[in-house]
Amino acid sequence: MKKCKTVILGSIGIDDIQTKTDNRKAILGGAASYACVASSFFTETGMMSIVGEDFPKEYFEKYKKFGIDIEGLIVEKGGKTFRWGGTYDDNMIDRVTNFTELNTLEHFEPAVPASYENAEYVLLGNLAPATQLSVLEKMKNTKFVVADTMDLWINIAREDLMKLLEKIDMLMLNDSEARLLTGEHNIIKAASKISAMGPKYVVVKKGEHGAVLFEGDEIFIVPAYPIAHLVDPTGAGDSYAGAFIGYLASADNLNIQNIKTALYMGSVVAAFGVERFSLERFENLTIKDITNNFNGLKRMTQI
Amino acid sequence: MKKCKTVILGSIGIDDIQTKTDNRKAILGGAASYACVASSFFTETGMMSIVGEDFPKEYFEKYKKFGIDIEGLIVEKGGKTFRWGGTYDDNMIDRVTNFTELNTLEHFEPAVPASYENAEYVLLGNLAPATQLSVLEKMKNTKFVVADTMDLWINIAREDLMKLLEKIDMLMLNDSEARLLTGEHNIIKAASKISAMGPKYVVVKKGEHGAVLFEGDEIFIVPAYPIAHLVDPTGAGDSYAGAFIGYLASADNLNIQNIKTALYMGSVVAAFGVERFSLERFENLTIKDITNNFNGLKRMTQI
């Protein structure tokens, strides 16, 4: 029987995106799209998500071309795919949401196909903590589970989030979310409080300024890969998480060296992704390109 | 004849500082104070600055206790020392200036004592570019000159600043200043434009997010030293620059390895400084403490 080593839960969306100098309508997006593609460079990746009947057929082919297993992708009859529209500020960091149409995502109950149940590496992308938990309960053989979250769930689903935190190995979240979750402005103190809630590893993401890994009292500083031509930052955090779990699965040994390397891979792959809209930059990206930039990032940081 | 290997130009101020949780009135500050103290851990450092007759005698003793040479410190008869007051936002990064009394600084013409003229390592702290140039013209034997600047001079003294840039080895400036100077939002592009104006090395500082060194097409990412207890960020950039030039002078070999190490020393020393108000944290700091944290910062960044 086929078996995915890594499975990823997340949204799929059709996005309208406006940046300072450019815009795109109805392009493929969503956390699961970015994360699965990023992971697919390193490992067999299964996708758990949902779309409607309106979802363009060519996008299924696109996922398959990356080698992504889409058995866990639900196509809801008569349903409409999640849609999101956003406009980025001139700084290409802050953004306003122009519209959100949850559509099929609103009542999404993830399917965990038999071929996914024994996946050892799991990424629970940003969805309601109850949805993340429902997937985790069906997994039979996990070695490493990483979850993402957002301000919305911290505000409205804190109790479920707390249950989730007890069951995962790593939480990835933005600095502002770490502050919101803990009431601590200082990220060292915030990460320490989050660790006490359950996860052995906490990764605080700081966008263009990289990320920081906390494991107990140990700190590891993960640089962002510097980019001269930023086109669309959408999905960067998801590509980061996807490349992380994918690399870790391929290494398949949970020593700290592999975890650090996996985070560097996250920075490298995320930086490629933002050079174009949607998944475009990944389409002709090779593992050799990734390795080159990984070595480049090492050169930029090692003394 | 005594000879300072490193000389530093900058302001001395008496500061009133308000943070979210604490405040101090009339404490010793100014770029030259922070930078000279930071440099003094590594090398014989001469200070070029100005104070008024009101400057407390104990502060001269404080400088001397750090081993700083103050022959280049002018005490203006009847003059009043520069004063500054500021209030930090809750984020401890943004601040508003409550008052600025330039006093003696307004017509400051730096003295370059004979014992300073052969200094090989020079830090031109943030003052009018014409003032920075006037010091540089008197230096006879420089190996490495680093200058700091600010938005004010970019706006009102650009022509002088351009002359300065042709004559220095490194410009250190904040990301917002790099953008203002070049009109480029992206710091890679901005640094490239600044390099074309003269300096071989450009260091773009990003506060708590560290700094980035540019040398031609080469990039080196310098992490900030993570701190859990930030008390007062005033002077951090000056301590950073001071420790940089002081370490580089002590290594006395301009290879890239020493420049990278010097930037790490900047991060380490600056992080100590912000743990207390004014120069307090430096008073019982040892080179062993600095080396410990330097090794710690390496552990946090090397993979």
Side-chain angles (χ1 to χ4, degrees):
Chain A
M1 193 187 79
K2 100 184 143 81
K3 173 174 170 295
C4 287
K5 193 166 190 177
T6 305
V7 293
I8 294 178
L9 169 74
S11 59
I12 290 175
I14 304 292
D15 297 342
D16 287 3
I17 290 168
Q18 175 79 52
T19 69
K20 188 183 176 186
T21 55
D22 209 346
N23 73 83
R24 290 288 187 285
K25 296 246 181 234
I27 56 174
L28 179 56
S33 296
Y34 287 102
C36 288
V37 167
S39 173
S40 73
F41 287 103
F42 304 101
T43 185
E44 323 82 50
T45 304
M47 175 189 264
M48 289 172 285
S49 192
I50 189 166
V51 294
E53 263 190 304
D54 61 339
F55 194 65
K57 297 259 175 308
E58 69 202 74
Y59 291 161
F60 295 113
E61 293 312 309
K62 201 183 282 275
Y63 290 141
K64 285 183 196 165
K65 222 171 140 189
F66 281 108
I68 298 168
D69 183 293
I70 57 171
E71 198 185 340
L73 173 53
I74 300 168
V75 184
E76 191 179 87
K77 282 208 174 150
K80 274 190 73 184
T81 305
F82 167 54
R83 290 192 54 114
W84 177 80
T87 299
Y88 285 91
D89 274 8
D90 289 0
N91 65 15
M92 291 293 261
I93 298 167
D94 302 315
R95 68 187 187 189
V96 291
T97 290
N98 299 324
F99 64 87
T100 304
E101 299 169 9
L102 284 179
N103 299 327
T104 58
L105 209 56
E106 188 151 14
H107 43 251
F108 174 34
E109 291 178 16
V112 180
S115 60
Y116 289 19
E117 284 177 353
N118 287 295
E120 294 167 331
Y121 293 85
V122 180
L123 168 57
L124 303 171
N126 165 37
L127 286 171
T131 310
Q132 294 172 309
L133 276 165
S134 78
V135 166
L136 205 48
E137 277 157 17
K138 287 167 200 151
M139 303 304 302
K140 296 181 173 165
N141 196 26
T142 61
K143 280 193 186 168
F144 199 90
V145 179
V146 49
D148 190 6
T149 193
M150 73 185 292
D151 47 4
L152 177 67
W153 313 121
I154 297 170
N155 284 323
I156 72 168
R158 186 177 281 258
E159 205 171 315
D160 287 341
L161 183 58
M162 289 300 148
K163 283 184 208 153
L164 178 74
L165 291 182
E166 286 171 17
K167 293 178 180 173
I168 62 175
D169 300 287
M170 176 186 279
L171 181 68
M172 278 191 184
L173 74 181
N174 293 332
D175 45 3
S176 61
E177 293 160 354
R179 287 170 182 138
L180 180 66
L181 179 55
T182 62
E184 284 286 354
H185 182 81
N186 183 281
I187 66 162
I188 299 177
K189 292 181 191 165
S192 171
K193 283 196 176 178
I194 295 168
S195 236
M197 297 169 186
K200 180 175 181 191
Y201 302 97
V202 178
V203 174
V204 179
K205 296 181 290 179
K206 306 190 297 173
E208 64 171 318
H209 303 299
V212 187
L213 166 70
F214 297 89
E215 182 201 0
D217 290 337
E218 296 294 315
I219 293 177
F220 180 66
I221 299 170
V222 188
Y225 189 93
I227 34 177
H229 305 282
L230 174 58
V231 168
D232 173 17
T234 309
D238 306 307
S239 305
Y240 183 86
F244 169 81
I245 198 74
Y247 176 83
L248 197 63
S250 73
D252 201 14
N253 178 328
L254 298 172
N255 64 40
I256 189 69
Q257 182 61 30
N258 283 336
I259 287 173
K260 290 176 179 178
T261 302
L263 290 167
Y264 263 56
M265 288 297 181
S267 286
V268 166
V269 174
F272 277 120
V274 301
E275 288 181 353
R276 300 275 187 285
F277 282 97
S278 187
L279 306 173
E280 289 168 23
R281 182 63 183 88
F282 295 128
E283 289 178 17
N284 54 7
L285 189 71
T286 66
I287 191 71
K288 190 162 170 253
D289 298 328
I290 294 171
T291 306
N292 277 346
N293 277 17
F294 172 78
N295 289 329
L297 189 57
K298 266 175 70 172
R299 277 195 304 276
M300 289 183 232
T301 51
Q302 309 302 292
I303 67 168
Chain B
M1 197 185 78
K2 97 184 144 87
K3 175 176 168 291
C4 288
K5 194 166 189 179
T6 305
V7 294
I8 292 176
L9 169 73
S11 60
I12 289 175
I14 303 293
D15 297 343
D16 288 3
I17 290 168
Q18 174 79 52
T19 69
K20 187 184 177 185
T21 55
D22 208 348
N23 72 82
R24 291 288 188 283
K25 296 246 183 234
I27 57 176
L28 180 55
S33 296
Y34 287 102
C36 287
V37 167
S39 174
S40 73
F41 287 102
F42 303 100
T43 185
E44 324 82 50
T45 305
M47 175 189 264
M48 291 172 285
S49 192
I50 189 166
V51 293
E53 263 190 303
D54 60 341
F55 193 66
K57 298 260 174 310
E58 68 202 74
Y59 291 161
F60 296 113
E61 294 312 310
K62 199 181 286 272
Y63 291 141
K64 286 182 194 162
K65 220 171 144 188
F66 281 107
I68 298 167
D69 183 295
I70 56 170
E71 198 185 341
L73 172 53
I74 300 167
V75 183
E76 190 180 87
K77 284 214 172 144
K80 275 190 71 183
T81 305
F82 167 53
R83 290 192 56 114
W84 177 80
T87 299
Y88 285 91
D89 273 8
D90 289 0
N91 65 16
M92 292 293 261
I93 298 167
D94 302 314
R95 66 187 189 193
V96 291
T97 290
N98 300 324
F99 64 87
T100 304
E101 299 170 7
L102 284 178
N103 299 328
T104 57
L105 208 56
E106 189 152 13
H107 43 253
F108 173 36
E109 292 178 15
V112 181
S115 62
Y116 288 19
E117 285 176 353
N118 287 295
E120 294 167 329
Y121 294 85
V122 181
L123 168 57
L124 302 172
N126 167 35
L127 286 170
T131 309
Q132 294 172 307
L133 275 166
S134 78
V135 166
L136 205 49
E137 277 157 15
K138 287 167 198 150
M139 303 306 300
K140 295 178 173 166
N141 196 27
T142 60
K143 279 192 186 167
F144 199 90
V145 179
V146 50
D148 189 5
T149 193
M150 74 184 291
D151 48 3
L152 178 67
W153 314 122
I154 295 170
N155 284 324
I156 71 167
R158 187 177 279 258
E159 206 171 316
D160 287 343
L161 182 57
M162 290 298 147
K163 282 184 207 155
L164 179 73
L165 291 182
E166 288 171 16
K167 293 180 179 169
I168 63 175
D169 300 287
M170 176 185 279
L171 181 67
M172 276 189 184
L173 75 180
N174 293 331
D175 45 3
S176 60
E177 293 159 353
R179 288 171 182 136
L180 180 66
L181 179 54
T182 62
E184 284 286 354
H185 182 80
N186 182 280
I187 65 163
I188 299 177
K189 291 180 191 168
S192 170
K193 282 196 177 177
I194 296 169
S195 237
M197 297 169 184
K200 181 176 180 188
Y201 302 98
V202 177
V203 174
V204 178
K205 295 181 290 181
K206 306 190 295 174
E208 65 170 318
H209 302 299
V212 186
L213 166 70
F214 297 90
E215 182 202 358
D217 290 336
E218 296 293 316
I219 293 177
F220 181 65
I221 298 170
V222 189
Y225 190 93
I227 35 179
H229 305 282
L230 173 58
V231 169
D232 173 17
T234 309
D238 306 308
S239 303
Y240 184 85
F244 169 81
I245 197 75
Y247 176 82
L248 197 62
S250 74
D252 201 14
N253 178 328
L254 299 172
N255 63 41
I256 189 69
Q257 184 59 34
N258 284 335
I259 287 174
K260 290 175 178 178
T261 303
L263 290 168
Y264 262 55
M265 289 296 182
S267 285
V268 165
V269 173
F272 277 120
V274 300
E275 287 181 356
R276 300 275 186 286
F277 282 98
S278 187
L279 306 173
E280 287 167 24
R281 182 62 183 89
F282 296 127
E283 287 177 19
N284 55 6
L285 189 70
T286 65
I287 191 71
K288 188 161 171 255
D289 299 327
I290 294 171
T291 306
N292 278 347
N293 277 16
F294 171 78
N295 289 330
L297 189 57
K298 265 174 70 172
R299 276 195 305 275
M300 288 183 233
T301 51
Q302 308 302 291
I303 67 169

